Amino acid sequence: MDLDKVIALFTGKNSQELYERHLAAIERLCQSNATGFAIKDLPKVQQILEITLRLLLKGVPGFLQPAVGLIKVLSKPYIKKTATDEFRLLGNISNILACIGQIFTTPGYPVELQLATSELLIIFASGYGQRPSLLDKVPPVEQIECGASARQYHTNQMLINSSGVLTAVVKSLGAAVSAGDEVLMMSLSLVASQISYFPENANALLDAGLLHSLPHLFAYDYRHPLTPVAVQLLWNLLDFAAVATRVGLVTTPASQGPASQTLGTTRRGKQEDAQRSSVQNTQEEAQQQQQQQQGEGQQGEGQQEECREQNKRVGDPTREPMAGTGREGEQTAPSGNADLGGSQGATFGRGARSRSPTGMRPPSSQPTSILPGLAHSLASLFLSDLLYGFRTIDKELRNDLVVVCSLIIGSDHPELPSPNPTTNSTQSTKQADLREQAELLRLCSMEFVGAAREAGLFEALLAVATSPELGLPEHEGLVKAWALSTEELDYELKQLAWKTVVAGCVHASPDDAWILLDAVRAWALVRALLAFVEEVPEAAPHANLASAALAAQRRWSPDQLDALRAAALARLHALAPLCPEVYVEEGGPEVLLRSLSTSVHSAHMEGALRHLHHLVVSKPSSTWASSLVGDGGMEGILGAAGAVSVLLMLLQDGSRPEGVRHCCLLLLAALCRTGSGSTGTQVRNMIGEANIQSQRSSFTSAQHTNQHLGNSLSSTRNSGPVTGREASPSPANSNLRRFRHEGGVAMVLSQLARCESADRTLPSPYTVAVLDVIWACVVPDRKNTARFLVEDGLDALLSLLEIGNRGHRAVGLSLLADILSNPRSHSFFHEWRSHQDQSTAAHLLLRIWKEEDNAGGISDKQGVLSNTALPLRGTGKPEAWIAPESLSYGTLLPGATASGTLKGKQTGAGHLGEWWAGMGQARL
């Protein structure tokens, strides 16, 4: 069909008012392009659409259905006439989307047309039903190496972003919320949900003001079809624009709602505008009468009072928005303005915040952001869904609500960057912005946790987390125990409940944290978590835990039980340091150690070992522990429970994975480490923390390791050397004695031999952990040191320094210095001879010093210091590249030794380049 003739029919002088012919032409146009318009024809189609919309606004009858027909055809995939149309003519698609967006922003268009436009955007945003399932990190379109469907989806999302239709959708949604048009709210929410799967579009929705309207979408019952769409939309925003969404929730004022952004696009909106104008006219008349009757006392006072009342009704921007109507006709209160939880939203624990008899907050504590109201809405939906929702779709919504709450709380917070006086103004401004952002994220977590606690969310989650394994009765109708089955959705809910409750305890404000921890103790959450960790119920410390563990094993399948055990260990890792007295009372140390002895799953063993190490490090010498165990401190509790014996048994078992043995070494060093007064403790603490991180990512380079440990050593050597004498009585001294009696010194020597025979090409975190155990378990104790020396431990340490990786030298040399502080070790030092060239230990140390001197440029050829102010820093640049390992990207370098050092400030890359060039010349 010739589009030029159609345009001429609409714009011709003699035919522009022949409306019946216009309608027939639009109908034929839609029929001839039923499969979609060509991309190159979109400018002409846009011109026809604009004329049709103008005639519709003009009030010409009969143009609504043709306009809807055009919109429906535009929702079909656009046809490419040439292979390059998709790339050359993207502007045509962007322009047609901008034209369609005017249907939302221009007052007067029928709702039916807006619904058809919303359906077009839903289809277009989903890539015509081919949206990828995983959009974690989306690369640019030109870098995507995938099928045509995924490329089409990303292209459509970028076109939506560039066309500006996002702003029109958000404004129209605000108008629909103000007018109470649920059908249009549903349609526009679906559009926003499809658009928000793309990170750039999610941020654009936030910039357009979507958060002003978002809380009002949750003001309906959980059975209302709008509620799942609103939950999905908020989940997308928290998933693809997490920081911006959480900052926006805490900074968007509650008083500024979508009513202030009404566009008057619906009939109800027009009626409200007319009512508002009539009230203003009444106000003006009252003011005129007031001026005329100023001398009359009583009548004037009555009119002034009437004017004040009218001013309140008209000019108050914080008036409550219109309440929505549920699916079955029940009237629901707007989010954040009433106690949506009812009796289920009662507070619990000590220090609960005061509330008015109607359930609202006192006037002095009105929320300043939309976050408290949103928290109450989410809690109310979860409580009602948990108690009355038994369909599959209800359970899915219930789990989605918990996920959204968990995302708002956040799993962690970025570290506050400390101000650096050497940074320039741009960097200082950036650091200040990051600190402000981190504070807002913390504020978001604390405010949401406080509001959700008041609404009863955490009490319901605790009921889910502990039922039915503990056999607790139903509490205030929060949850029906028989409704929680072992199906996939209920199995998922239990893990989500654990995670959300623990995250709330971690990120709550101090007042709310105490209340939540009281609830955790009352509901016995720690016991419920330990019940899944306990593998031998008959050996549980007390009967309650034994029955709970037996119920858990009988209830869940083996695969589910394994996953729940791993989740329980992860939650205990964060929860136990917050309430250690409850953890000890419930028998946590005994359960974990027994699990290490009986478990066959390496992942569970590593999780248990990391948990115990974190518990020891976070509570090294707590006052509460001395009242529970005679030794005092978490070290004494674990030592008395047999932790040293269990760890040594695991280390002697060669069949255990290296990750398990590595965690055993870290925990063993933490148990035996003495107080902060001993020499090298700060360095050893640093090594222990570095080793925890090294299990996920190994040391990047030997130079980085030496520099990092060297700087720490230089800042801690002022405390004085270890003399080998017994320290003051402490839990660690008892563990040192247990270490010696259980054969710990022999175990350390066997581990040193293992490290000496291991691959030396890369730094080994396992070797550093072995050295740390010697430093913490052998050096502080006189008898342990003597046994270590007699059994040739010093010989093994010097051999490791000679042939081991350079990344271990900083730790090994510091350990050697502490050992040599004992005069009885000097004879062993002088007797050592190298297995390679029979050199002495003194020659080994001099050779190491020379290598580091050359590598760091500390002195020149004449022996003059390069940096007299800070001699050990040298020139600050690599003066030489040393290759003690004969390995280069998988290729052995024949004869590569320290004598092959390159001078002249050459880097490692330059050395490799010259070596490859030399190899090429040799071949030629």
Side-chain angles (χ1 to χ4, degrees), residues 881 883 885-897 900 902 906-923:
W881 189 82
E885 300 86 21
S886 58
L887 182 73
S888 173
Y889 298 98
T891 304
L892 292 177
L893 300 177
T897 59
L902 299 178
Q906 293 180 350
T907 62
H911 171 67
L912 291 176
E914 289 198 1
W915 182 81
W916 281 110
M919 291 294 295
Q921 294 177 0
R923 291 179 182 177

Side-chain angles (χ1 to χ4, degrees), residues 40 45 65 133 164 244-245 247 285 366 371 374 380 399 402 413 477 483 497 508 562 594 674 684 771 800:
K40 68 175 184 178
V45 176
Q65 294 303 324
S133 59
T245 303
V247 170
E285 293 176 0
Q366 284 291 338
L371 189 59
L374 180 62
S380 175
N399 292 4
V402 182
H413 297 297
D562 287 342
R594 186 163 47 254
T674 56
R684 292 194 292 271
L771 297 176
L800 182 63

Side-chain angles (χ1 to χ4, degrees), residues 60-97:
V60 179
F63 275 89
L64 175 58
Q65 294 303 324
V68 172
L70 273 176
I71 294 296
K72 289 184 177 180
V73 176
L74 285 170
S75 65
K76 303 293 181 61
Y78 302 122
I79 300 173
K80 297 179 290 184
K81 295 298 183 180
T82 62
T84 59
D85 283 354
E86 185 181 1
F87 307 101
R88 294 188 301 107
L89 305 176
L90 288 179
N92 296 349
I93 304 177
S94 180
N95 293 335
I96 198 72
L97 291 176

Side-chain angles (χ1 to χ4, degrees), residues 97 211 232 247 416 419 485 496 517 657 756 877 904 921 923:
L97 291 176
L211 292 180
Q232 184 63 49
V247 170
L416 286 176
S485 64
L496 291 173
L517 291 176
E756 188 177 348
K877 299 179 181 180
Q921 294 177 0
R923 291 179 182 177

